[in-house]
Amino acid sequence: MKKDTKLGLFLSLFVLIGFPVIFLVVSLLSGDWVWLITSLPPSLAAGFMGVWIANRAINEERKSD
């Protein structure tokens, strides 16, 4: 796995898992759950798309080796 695909996979997983956790903390501290509710759809969409694209690139690298 190349460094670029590792970075892409890491960033996609951070967006998929990290952003909702950050907004969960913000929601807990502020008491306003709108932060979490409005952050979930975009972070899930971007995270799943990034993981899918990174996984496809990793599979193509493995086939070419």
Side-chain angles (χ1 to χ4, degrees):
M1 188 174 358
K2 291 183 183 177
K3 188 176 181 179
D4 294 338
T5 53
K6 281 185 183 179
L7 180 64
L9 184 60
F10 172 75
L11 290 175
S12 300
L13 289 174
F14 179 75
V15 168
L16 185 62
I17 299 167
F19 280 8
V21 170
I22 291 169
F23 281 103
L24 175 65
V25 171
V26 169
S27 295
L28 287 171
L29 293 175
S30 69
D32 189 10
W33 291 97
V34 175
W35 288 99
L36 180 64
I37 293 170
T38 56
S39 73
L40 281 178
S43 63
L44 291 177
F48 282 130
M49 182 64 72
V51 169
W52 179 62
I53 291 171
N55 192 22
R56 215 169 82 186
I58 290 168
N59 287 337
E60 288 177 8
E61 284 179 8
R62 287 183 183 165
K63 286 180 184 178
S64 66
D65 287 342

